[in-house]
Amino acid sequence: MVALDSVKHAALCKMVDYLFEDPETRFPKAMEMVDKAAPRNLFPSQREAFRNAIDEKNNWYQLLMKIAHLNPEVRNRLVKSFLIDSNLMVWGEQEKNRDKYQCNIPWAILLDPTSACNLHCTGCWAAEYGHKLNLSYDDIDSIIEQGKALGTHVFIYTGGEPLVRKHDLIKLCEAHPDCAFLCFTNATLIDEAFCQDMIRVANFVPAISAEGFEEATDARRGEGVFQKVSKAMALLREHGLPFGVSCCYTAQNASSIASEEYFDWLIDQGALFAWIFSFMPVGHGSTPDLIPNAAQREHLYNFVREMRQTKPLFTLDFQDDGEFVGGCIAGGRRYLHINAAGDVEPCVFAHYSNANIHDVSLLDALRSPIFMEYYYEQPFDGNYLRPCPILENSGMLAEMVARSGAKSTDLQHEETAEELCSKTKAFSEEWAPVAKRLWNDPRDPMHGKRMTKTQGMAEADMHKFERLQKEGRTLHYNGGLRS
């Protein structure tokens, strides 16, 4: 870190300590301090939202106050590692490397420490990897070091059940205090000792898999799981530890997850965020029956936007929030996935690869054929309510896999990309006219921004478009050629 960056880093850390000494009084001064320390083009919309939340004392302000009242042994260090070390200080480096290497550089890396799991959930894509694979401690440490060299400081554990390896995961937190670690977990292995570990390292946050209330959760995850999840949440809440939830939105639990009653319950349990993923029929034995239909998807779209106006819960709708990030973020554009065998995949739902982390560097994997297909094709549609090459643009993944020569990484039962896309074709066709109506609705607060070239795009994205346009490639942003 050069001297100027060191000064900036110290100033930002001092600002965090200053704010949390008296958050109610000092938070209103926060944005003025950030504006002095950070470039004007760094997360401008997020900074504006933060400023409005403070001025209006709205639900987002309430969420900020919940963060302010977390365990003080954890709070300051976590905010510094996530906000400063993993975002403010490194976004510019990521952007520089996107231009330098002319490939996608991820904001976050998802990786599977193990394929082992203590549950057997209906329709789980991770089961296709088997249950005996592991990335060693040294493997994961190397991935983290390579990511940091490119500017990536956010690492998200998936699985399997990552907490089967919880001792190694805590050691990695200790080894990399300048990184933020999030973990998708079924929460059944969270206990008092692990809470104490979280307090000690202060840069580990669980995202607990939750499917709604007891009936819906136990139907997919097994009898008694809901009570174990509730117990883990209570333990985390008692210790003032940060956590959120990950919800797989299916045709069966749609009414449970997309309900105000459920969101209020999550808030009461102490959750700070909710990530909602639409079910993907990945894997040989998975059928499209659990894909939410177009009406359920539209309900989720409207519901999440309503909740954001009223509830102190940071909610992400993985499919319908594409407009805020310029469409699909997979393929390394903002994230990639490394499975427990070391295969570097463009997405947790796209089990196809040309590269294994045991054989090539992370950068070489990002420049492998399947990743470059994503780089050239993103966004896949100018309507960012249709971001995905699997679910909403059925067939596009199969085309990219064919051109790249990527191989299936499912070790149990190989599934071709054509087979996967055939299961999403009906939904893709059903959703297209609904997405078009929603996207072009002039009453939507986002309508004006949707018509601009830069909506959801970073500077490196725009530089890429300029280069590809000169090369004569077809682009799909700004209104969309396929919408």
Side-chain angles (χ1 to χ4, degrees):
M1 192 181 296
V2 298
L4 183 60
D5 283 345
S6 296
V7 172
K8 185 188 299 183
H9 185 270
L12 288 169
C13 288
K14 187 174 182 179
M15 179 192 73
V16 169
D17 292 333
Y18 170 81
L19 291 175
F20 283 125
E21 285 176 2
D22 185 5
E24 285 84 357
T25 302
R26 293 177 176 176
F27 263 54
K29 302 176 182 178
M31 290 318 301
E32 181 180 342
M33 299 172 71
V34 170
D35 289 341
K36 289 180 179 179
R40 182 177 299 178
N41 62 352
L42 184 65
F43 307 132
S45 60
Q46 291 89 338
R47 284 156 67 172
E48 184 63 24
F50 189 89
R51 187 178 287 107
N52 290 339
I54 294 171
D55 291 343
E56 298 169 9
K57 299 290 192 295
N58 59 19
N59 57 304
W60 292 98
Y61 179 80
Q62 296 170 33
L63 179 59
L64 288 173
M65 288 300 103
K66 289 178 67 175
I67 295 171
H69 291 101
L70 289 172
N71 187 328
E73 293 185 63
V74 174
R75 178 196 59 207
N76 291 34
R77 287 185 291 159
L78 177 64
V79 171
K80 290 173 185 177
S81 64
F82 179 76
L83 180 63
I84 299 174
D85 294 330
S86 302
N87 282 282
L88 293 176
M89 295 302 299
V90 296
W91 177 257
E93 185 178 1
Q94 292 173 25
E95 285 283 88
K96 180 181 69 177
N97 284 327
R98 289 171 188 133
D99 285 336
K100 176 181 178 180
Y101 296 113
Q102 296 188 15
C103 68
N104 286 327
I105 300 294
W107 171 78
I109 293 175
L110 278 67
L111 63 155
D112 301 350
T114 181
S115 63
C117 186
N118 58 335
L119 299 181
H120 302 280
C121 304
T122 303
C124 177
W125 54 264
E128 293 302 308
Y129 294 126
H131 299 282
K132 299 180 180 179
L133 301 172
N134 290 281
L135 291 172
S136 71
Y137 176 92
D138 289 340
D139 289 335
I140 301 173
D141 186 64
S142 174
I143 291 167
I144 294 170
E145 289 289 359
Q146 291 183 67
K148 287 163 64 172
L150 295 173
T152 303
H153 284 244
V154 176
F155 298 89
I156 303 175
Y157 296 121
T158 56
E161 169 49 50
L163 293 189
V164 170
R165 298 277 305 283
K166 57 185 176 182
H167 298 299
D168 278 343
L169 302 191
I170 290 297
K171 283 175 60 181
L172 288 159
C173 289
E174 292 174 318
H176 300 279
D178 57 342
C179 294
F181 297 91
L182 185 139
C183 178
F184 291 113
T185 174
N186 61 42
T188 60
L189 299 178
I190 293 176
D191 55 18
E192 174 65 28
F194 189 70
C195 287
Q196 294 302 321
D197 285 337
M198 285 180 59
I199 293 170
R200 188 176 76 257
V201 298
N203 59 346
F204 185 95
V205 179
I208 297 173
S209 298
E211 311 296 336
F213 291 112
E214 189 162 14
E215 182 179 357
T217 295
D218 287 2
R220 183 161 188 252
R221 298 191 170 271
E223 186 176 352
V225 171
F226 180 81
Q227 290 302 324
K228 292 178 181 178
V229 167
S230 299
K231 182 179 178 181
M233 289 180 174
L235 193 58
L236 293 164
R237 184 175 67 250
E238 289 166 8
H239 286 289
L241 289 167
F243 72 92
V245 298
S246 167
C247 305
C248 181
Y249 187 68
T250 75
Q252 292 182 354
N253 68 17
S255 60
S256 178
I257 286 180
S259 69
E260 188 169 5
E261 180 186 11
Y262 182 57
F263 267 48
D264 286 340
W265 181 80
L266 291 175
I267 293 166
D268 289 343
Q269 301 313 299
L272 298 177
F273 62 88
W275 285 10
I276 303 176
F277 301 85
S278 289
F279 176 80
M280 293 278 197
V282 176
H284 184 73
S286 184
T287 71
D289 299 346
L290 288 176
I291 299 176
N293 61 37
Q296 291 171 321
R297 173 77 173 265
E298 182 175 3
H299 172 67
L300 180 65
Y301 168 87
N302 290 317
F303 173 78
V304 167
R305 280 153 178 75
E306 179 185 350
M307 292 299 99
R308 283 183 184 145
Q309 300 300 314
T310 57
K311 303 295 183 183
L313 186 71
F314 182 68
T315 307
L316 290 174
D317 177 353
F318 203 68
Q319 296 303 124
D320 293 324
D321 283 344
E323 63 184 313
F324 301 109
V325 289
C328 173
I329 61 172
R333 180 168 171 264
R334 297 295 178 266
Y335 93 95
L336 57 81
H337 178 240
I338 303 175
N339 69 22
D343 298 308
V344 186
E345 303 167 335
C347 176
V348 293
F349 302 118
H351 298 177
Y352 308 94
S353 178
N354 302 107
N356 189 288
I357 202 66
H358 297 121
D359 303 321
V360 303
S361 69
L362 177 61
L363 180 58
D364 284 343
L366 285 162
R367 294 187 289 193
S368 66
I370 187 63
F371 276 82
M372 293 309 295
E373 285 289 333
Y374 271 76
Y375 180 75
Y376 292 134
E377 293 294 330
Q378 288 168 325
F380 296 106
D381 197 289
N383 181 336
Y384 300 153
L385 299 180
R386 300 181 62 199
C388 179
I390 304 173
L391 189 58
E392 294 94 10
N393 296 281
S394 181
M396 290 197 69
L397 176 68
E399 294 172 10
M400 293 191 294
V401 168
R403 288 194 297 265
S404 67
K407 305 301 181 183
S408 171
T409 57
D410 283 346
L411 299 182
Q412 296 288 88
H413 303 282
E414 286 193 5
E415 178 179 58
T416 68
E418 289 81 5
E419 289 171 332
L420 171 59
C421 290
S422 71
K423 292 186 284 188
T424 62
K425 187 174 186 294
F427 173 79
S428 179
E429 293 173 350
E430 181 189 16
W431 176 245
V434 179
K436 184 175 183 178
R437 169 171 53 79
L438 293 172
W439 184 257
N440 293 306
D441 184 354
R443 298 167 298 176
D444 193 292
M446 291 295 295
H447 182 261
K449 292 183 178 180
R450 288 171 178 171
M451 300 301 110
T452 66
K453 292 182 179 181
T454 57
Q455 174 57 22
M457 298 295 175
E459 289 185 6
D461 290 317
M462 302 310 297
H463 297 163
K464 178 189 80 169
F465 295 145
E466 292 171 6
R467 288 196 306 272
L468 298 186
Q469 202 159 27
K470 289 178 181 178
E471 295 174 10
R473 291 183 178 271
T474 300
L475 305 179
H476 309 294
Y477 73 109
N478 187 30
L481 301 179
R482 294 196 180 106
S483 295

